[in-house]
Amino acid sequence: MTGVPSDFQPLTAEAVRARLVTKTLGRTLHVLEETPSTNTTALTLAQQGAEDGTVIVADRQTAGRGRLGRHWHSPPGVNLYCSVILRRRPTPERRMSWLSWVPLLSAVAVARAVQAEAGVLPTLKWPNDLMVGQRKLGGLLCESGGLGELDRVVVVGLGLNVNAGPDAFPGELREVATSLACETGRLFDRAALLASVLAELEHRYDAFPLQEAGEWMHEYATLCSTLGRSVRAEVAGGETLEGWAEGIGSDGSLRIRLTRPTALGSAQAGLVVEVRAADIMHVR
Ligand code: BTN
């Protein structure tokens, strides 16, 4: 891949609006040249009452955030950095599963949009890393805030490496990250990709209240490359679990059948533990 020409399809509000096919998502749209983090901007706007479906997209981030407190590399002019504000009120029976499944459903939606636009179907490393082979193409950071249980806002933040060439990644990412351009040798219109992502997200968010749990579980499991593998999981508190990823729990957790007792002795080999937040390594 050579460098991206500096005037290659700049990400503008007009370009995104011209491609939008959604009813709600992106109808209020903020396209920024630069922001510390689109998620932080989205959380601030949500506090100020921004409506459901508001989208914030930036050409570059100066303090992009990843899961587990990590930094998200966000160079200008090449990738997608966007956040969607969700302010939906599922029925009381669906509220908990909505909050647990938004990150996983969103990852499925992005993978399907990438497939439609670029002809590459990423797999999902639990919970929501978008992978091509062993390399990371993108990720989601979902954060919630709001004024209380009944006005719970979820911000879905997506970072997707689109037109970044191999030189755009710093040394520590070169072996582990990829972009659509690196995978296909082509450049992509970020506005078209964003419009497609928003269409896939909206389709799944709208369908969620009408579906049975089995339907969204099946969609996720079809793309999840963690299932059926030997994994190492670093969970909060620094404990490491080793075992076999055998399923997804009803709350979106990863069910691991331990092949070794935990180092701190809290669980024995053979036991199934449900992990809700962890850094997962595929062992083989
Ligand atoms: C991950 O660790 O895999 C999640 C990365 C999420 C990055 C995106 S970029 C847009 C949004 N704003 C942020 O600061 N983070 C998310």
Side-chain angles (χ1 to χ4, degrees):
M1 272 305 298
T2 51
V4 182
S6 58
D7 59 350
F8 180 76
Q9 286 166 328
L11 190 56
T12 62
E14 294 67 41
V16 178
R17 285 203 182 97
R19 291 160 178 78
L20 272 186
V21 293
T22 46
K23 286 205 188 76
T24 317
L25 265 58
R27 291 294 155 187
T28 302
L29 175 70
H30 301 269
V31 180
L32 311 173
E33 211 165 287
E34 178 183 300
T35 186
S37 150
T38 57
N39 263 33
T40 307
T41 307
L43 287 165
T44 306
L45 290 174
Q47 283 292 341
Q48 295 165 0
E51 63 181 351
D52 180 54
T54 299
V55 169
I56 297 93
V57 56
D59 189 59
R60 76 174 79 102
Q61 298 182 118
T62 52
R65 297 186 278 114
R67 284 179 63 240
L68 309 169
R70 295 190 178 123
H71 166 73
W72 187 258
H73 179 61
S74 311
V78 285
N79 296 331
L80 262 188
Y81 319 111
C82 66
S83 302
V84 180
I85 297 174
L86 295 177
R87 175 163 256 149
R88 304 191 165 201
R89 300 213 174 101
T91 56
E93 319 75 77
R94 279 285 160 99
R95 195 168 297 142
M96 287 319 292
S97 54
W98 168 245
L99 293 175
S100 343
W101 276 88
V102 163
L104 286 76
L105 286 179
S106 303
V108 170
V110 177
R112 292 299 181 188
V114 167
Q115 179 184 31
E117 293 298 311
V120 172
L121 178 60
T123 57
L124 304 177
K125 182 154 92 71
W126 184 91
N128 49 22
D129 283 355
L130 290 123
M131 308 293 294
V132 179
Q134 302 305 310
R135 290 173 185 259
K136 185 157 165 169
L137 178 72
L140 288 135
L141 175 66
C142 296
E143 299 181 288
S144 65
L147 304 175
E149 200 45 39
L150 284 179
D151 187 25
R152 183 65 75 90
V153 176
V154 182
V155 166
V156 178
L158 165 68
L160 189 67
N161 299 328
V162 181
N163 292 328
D167 299 346
F169 295 109
E172 72 277 11
L173 295 182
R174 258 181 217 162
E175 297 301 313
V176 294
T178 190
S179 70
L180 289 177
C182 292
E183 294 299 322
T184 63
R186 289 185 286 141
L187 295 177
F188 294 88
D189 174 4
R190 288 174 295 161
L193 208 45
L194 175 60
S196 180
V197 165
L198 295 177
E200 292 285 343
L201 288 173
E202 182 168 280
H203 169 66
R204 282 169 182 79
Y205 299 156
D206 287 353
F208 186 82
L210 312 168
Q211 286 178 315
E212 297 300 326
E215 294 178 64
W216 63 73
M217 280 216 190
H218 175 73
E219 242 205 317
Y220 180 79
T222 303
L223 295 181
C224 180
S225 57
T226 304
L227 293 176
R229 280 198 187 235
S230 205
V231 294
R232 191 171 304 127
E234 273 174 29
V235 294
E239 191 159 42
T240 301
L241 310 177
E242 285 187 41
W244 187 252
E246 64 170 36
I248 303 293
S250 58
D251 60 352
S253 55
L254 182 66
R255 295 168 53 82
I256 302 177
R257 186 170 295 278
L258 298 182
T259 45
R260 286 173 186 233
T262 57
L264 302 179
S266 57
Q268 294 304 309
L271 211 80
V272 175
V273 290
E274 297 196 339
V275 170
R276 279 178 193 82
D279 196 18
I280 300 290
M281 274 142 290
H282 292 169
V283 178
R284 61 180 173 269

